Amino acid sequence: MTKELLNELMNALVDGTLFGICFSFWIMILVAVWRWFLGVVKRFLHWLCPKWFKPKTEEIDKN
């Protein structure tokens, strides 16, 4: 193995690691933003039409 081949291999490993770290952070941020956005939409729909989203009530027997 020549020095050039080792150098290219090390560069590829570093590039792949940095890409993986950045990609995973990007995915986590994307998921967080979508969860926040869907929560805002859900709260807006609850505010807009509250009769559609009545909470389920369970009848409790009082014995």
Side-chain angles (χ1 to χ4, degrees):
M1 294 183 107
T2 63
K3 285 186 178 182
E4 279 185 33
L5 185 60
L6 286 174
N7 194 15
E8 287 178 18
L9 181 63
M10 293 295 286
N11 282 338
L13 288 173
V14 170
D15 288 344
T17 302
L18 289 176
F19 175 77
I21 291 170
C22 291
F23 186 73
S24 63
F25 277 128
W26 183 78
I27 290 294
M28 285 188 277
I29 291 170
L30 188 66
V31 167
V33 167
W34 271 105
R35 285 188 66 194
W36 170 81
F37 179 71
L38 292 176
V40 168
V41 169
K42 181 180 173 183
R43 279 186 276 142
F44 176 72
L45 288 175
H46 279 257
W47 173 78
L48 188 65
C49 304
K51 66 179 180 178
W52 289 354
F53 301 100
K54 289 184 181 176
K56 295 179 182 176
T57 56
E58 295 180 11
E59 294 182 19
I60 301 173
D61 294 331
K62 296 181 181 178
N63 293 330

